[in-house]
Each structure stands twice: as structure tokens, then as C-alpha cells.
Amino acid sequence: MAHVGIESVLVAGRGPAACAVVAACSRLDVKTVAVHSEADRNARHVRLADDAILLGPAPAAESYLAVDRIVEAARRSGVEAVLPVPPALAGNARLAGAVVAAGLTWVGPSAAVLERLGGDGVEPASERGFLALVTDGGLRCTTPVSRDRAAGIARVSWTPDEPVELPPAAKRLPEIGWRGLVTVGIAPDGELAEVAAGFSLDTTVLERAHGVDAVELALRSAAGGSAVDSGTGAPPRRAVTVQLRSTLPPGQGGRVTGRLPRSGRHTGAGRGVEVVAVSGYDPGDRLDRWYDALLATISAGARDTATAARAVSEVLDAVPEVGVPHDGPEVCAVLERLTSGNPAPGA
């Protein structure tokens, strides 16, 4: 059995996040089965996985978000567990319940807990929040986060310099039975805004800040083992994460012709700086009109926010023409503000 306590998983999701999960499972010696739509038969997350199963037609409602088809794919594949990637799946109480009813392990909070908190996942987009691993013993790897928002979706996230007070409701997550990763949004009045399971767009902030592998933490938690054995043991670092997105008009597809940031750890950023990139596409891959326009993520951990932002910016600056328009210049403008110590627009 793999040392995380789970030998095989069906990875429910697509894009850069699914690519990152598949790669992490490979490092952990956990077999992966990807799922895909007809439009994604040759997608990068499919190529990376050990095996893959077709869910259905291109529309997400008939494939990536189709609960019955995901559960049936897990049954047919013979995997031990289902690992939902995006909050839209990880926070789906119906899916969580169906997976357990099929005799499989669900990597995330139970269906009962998800029902209590709403039953459907959302990607937190509040300007402030935090991430954590929720265990029997309380919150671990707690990581405050600030976000620069674009169209309601986090585009640049970082660990703020000012302290963040956790909402009382968030502190009670262990008491109500939440287990596994959590991403929380904090409302302007300091109360709980959103609660998301799975691998949110901010998850790499937690990874870079604490030197942990979020996939390993999630699998260990689901297997009932100690989920906090990994990590450097050092105090948390400052971290910055960016999402590079296509700016093609809604409903319009394209083709990636250049190389996005190389997936994996990047060297040369300086001593004590960790930079990791994950791309969802290789040259020649089609960017389909049906799905999210996320192209890649780049994250860095360093002794201070400015150094981390500078390291991410250097990776983005090296991205050539990729064949589709993207929001790299806008992202770099936010990174420039972080490097100067003034994250607020217009500062």
C-alpha cells in the first residue's frame, strides 16, 4: 500500500489543477485515473494519468459535473478513492454521498457536513480569507490570504503582512466534523463568507507557505492517518500565487502554439526561494470553448512577499507568445505592486 494509505484514485477535474494533482499522486506512488469529456480526449491531465475514462459529451453538466457518471467511472476503474479537484465537485454533497455509497473513499469532508454548509462548492473570491487543513486536533497549516480579484475569480493571491483574525464560525469547523483541506473567504464585517473544499485557486499559497504537498495532506486525511507529518517544520514563509488566463472572448476556442511556464520546480530564483509552475496545456493543445480559461499557475515561497512576487514575475516575463491572448500583463501589474510593497491598486 502507498505510504499515504491510499493506492489508487480517480481524479475528478481538469485543467492545471488536475494536472498538479496527477503529478503529485505520481510522486506519492498513487495510481491515477483521469476523467474527461469528448472534447478533452487528449488533454494534458489525461496524458499525465495512468489511465483515463470518458465521462460524456463536451458540456460540463454532461461530463465533468455529472455525479452519476463520475461514480460509475470510479466503479469501472477499480480505484480505491475519488479525489475531487475543484470546489464545485469537492463541495458537492450528492457526489460525496454517492461515492461512499458505492463503497469508495471520498477525499474530502463528508456529505453530511457539506449539506450542513450548503451542499455545493464555490471558489472563494472574497478579498481576504485563509486556508487550512482541518483535523481532529483542530486547524493545521493555517494560512491567511489576500486576493486581487478579476471577474469574481482570484487571479493573484498572497499571504498578507497584516494579521488576519479567523471568523468564529471558521474556528468551529473541526467541531462540526469538517476534515481535510478548506479555503475560506472572510466578509468585510469579519464574518464567514465562503467555505470551499478541494483544491481552490489559493491552495498553492498554503503549499509554498508551509512547504507541504496538499495532495499528500488530503490523501492522508481521507485514509484516516496522520495528515500533518509532512512539512519543513520551519516557520511559514510568505507566498504568492498567480493564475494565468486566456482572454479569448467567451465561447471562442483557440490553440496553444507556444510553451507555457514549464511544470515543476524552477531553479535560479535565489537561495530560500521556491518557485513551482503547473501548466494545463502543451504546444499544439486546443483551448476549448466549453471550459474555464485557466492556462497555468505559478507560485513562490520566500522570506518576504516582495521576493516571492519578484520570483513569480520572472517566470511570467519569460513566457513567449503562446498563440492565445492572456492576462499576463495585468497579472504582472499586480506583482509589481506587491514587489513595491503596495498591493492596493493605485498605490
Side-chain angles (χ1 to χ4, degrees), residues 34-123:
V35 291
H36 63 90
S37 70
E38 291 175 350
D40 265 350
R41 286 181 181 276
N42 196 40
R44 187 167 187 268
H45 74 283
V46 173
R47 301 196 299 268
L48 290 175
D50 297 304
D51 201 355
I53 292 181
L54 173 66
L55 288 178
E62 300 176 48
S63 53
Y64 290 109
L65 300 180
V67 169
D68 294 342
R69 295 185 181 190
I70 293 171
V71 176
E72 179 57 26
R75 282 201 194 101
R76 288 182 9 231
S77 69
V79 296
E80 182 180 347
V82 172
L83 193 162
V85 179
L89 288 176
N92 188 313
R94 179 170 168 250
L95 176 59
V99 166
V100 174
L104 303 171
T105 297
W106 171 252
V107 182
S110 69
V113 170
L114 293 173
E115 285 281 10
R116 182 173 177 179
L117 292 175
D120 289 303
V122 295
E123 180 73 50

Side-chain angles (χ1 to χ4, degrees), residues 27-305:
R27 293 192 298 270
L28 296 167
D29 197 27
V30 176
K31 177 186 175 182
T32 54
V33 176
V35 291
H36 63 90
S37 70
E38 291 175 350
D40 265 350
R41 286 181 181 276
N42 196 40
R44 187 167 187 268
H45 74 283
V46 173
R47 301 196 299 268
L48 290 175
D50 297 304
D51 201 355
I53 292 181
L54 173 66
L55 288 178
E62 300 176 48
S63 53
Y64 290 109
L65 300 180
V67 169
D68 294 342
R69 295 185 181 190
I70 293 171
V71 176
E72 179 57 26
R75 282 201 194 101
R76 288 182 9 231
S77 69
V79 296
E80 182 180 347
V82 172
L83 193 162
V85 179
L89 288 176
N92 188 313
R94 179 170 168 250
L95 176 59
V99 166
V100 174
L104 303 171
T105 297
W106 171 252
V107 182
S110 69
V113 170
L114 293 173
E115 285 281 10
R116 182 173 177 179
L117 292 175
D120 289 303
V122 295
E123 180 73 50
S126 300
E127 292 182 353
R128 297 184 303 135
F130 77 91
L131 301 96
L133 176 74
V134 187
T135 71
D136 291 340
L139 302 179
R140 301 286 184 265
C141 298
T142 304
T143 309
V145 63
S146 293
R147 306 178 179 102
D148 182 274
R149 299 184 297 175
I153 300 175
R155 182 175 64 200
V156 180
S157 309
W158 65 93
T159 48
D161 293 330
E162 64 276 7
V164 174
E165 178 64 28
L166 303 187
K171 298 177 183 178
R172 293 195 295 270
L173 285 172
E175 299 173 24
I176 68 171
W178 189 289
R179 295 295 179 269
L181 297 170
V182 68
T183 304
V184 169
I186 301 176
D189 62 3
E191 294 300 318
L192 202 62
E194 312 107 335
V195 181
F199 296 82
S200 73
L201 297 172
D202 301 322
T203 299
T204 50
V205 175
L206 181 150
E207 290 185 312
R208 301 290 84 76
H210 292 273
V212 297
D213 183 332
V215 174
E216 180 177 358
L217 297 182
L219 291 174
R220 285 183 178 274
S221 176
S226 173
V228 291
D229 289 341
S230 56
T232 63
R237 299 176 294 183
R238 300 298 187 189
V240 174
T241 288
V242 306
Q243 295 93 42
L244 183 67
R245 293 179 178 275
S246 165
T247 54
L248 285 168
Q252 180 177 328
R255 190 171 298 278
V256 175
T257 58
R259 184 162 296 281
L260 291 163
R262 174 181 53 81
S263 292
R265 280 177 166 75
H266 288 235
T267 58
R271 184 176 179 181
V273 182
E274 180 189 25
V275 183
V276 178
V278 179
S279 296
Y281 301 86
D282 288 325
D285 286 348
R286 180 166 179 76
L287 184 64
D288 202 276
R289 65 185 179 87
W290 292 99
Y291 309 119
D292 180 82
L294 183 60
L295 298 171
T297 65
I298 307 101
S299 58
R303 65 183 180 276
D304 55 66
T305 302

